[in-house]
Amino acid sequence: MNANAKQVAIGSDHAAFRLKQIVKDWLIANGWQVEDVGTYDERSVDYPDFGMKVAGLVSRGVFPKGILLCGTGLGMSMVANRFEHVRAALCHDLFAALMSRRHNDANILVLGGRVVGDVLALEIVRTWLETGFEGGRHQARLDKFDCISRGEDGKSSTVEQG
Ligand code: RB5
């Protein structure tokens, strides 16, 4: 898959269903191809079921990016970051959205539907999708994430400061 493809998988639980619909409509209106894994109404569900779907799609490279929403964003972050190759960032301000892309190459954006207002949420989404990864020393740091799956301690430090 082309990492720059305008394709995004999105999922939420009931607590953020309303915001998911708003974000989804915005994405479609702005030319994104959206895979909505649910939930599809406000009946109570378990957020891991939907977090696993989106994180799985991103982890396997089926989608380059994902967006997850729950009440606080915390539960979805915890679930998503258990998946290999997933770097999920919970962002409730524009600076976090910007830096999670520039420095962390976040591939899943997480939002709390009970935390942010609709207008701020859409600005966070826009900023996150439009911001590129800076690479360089930041890539070297991300490479160290693989030490975790290899069972290494990752303590040696060879990257430049800054
Ligand atoms: C659901 O009540 C709530 O716990 C969930 O949306 C989320 O905030 C969990 O982290």
Side-chain angles (χ1 to χ4, degrees), residues 15-30:
F17 167 74
R18 195 190 64 84
L19 182 57
K20 173 169 70 70
Q21 297 309 108
I22 290 169
V23 170
K24 179 180 166 183
D25 289 348
W26 182 93
L27 289 167
I28 292 168
N30 284 276

Side-chain angles (χ1 to χ4, degrees), residues 13-15 47 70-76 114:
D13 71 354
H14 57 288
Y47 62 84
C70 63
T72 60
L74 292 167
M76 286 297 199
R114 291 172 174 163

Side-chain angles (χ1 to χ4, degrees), residues 28-41:
I28 292 168
N30 284 276
W32 288 81
Q33 184 193 321
V34 181
E35 175 79 10
D36 183 355
V37 306
T39 187
Y40 302 116
D41 57 42

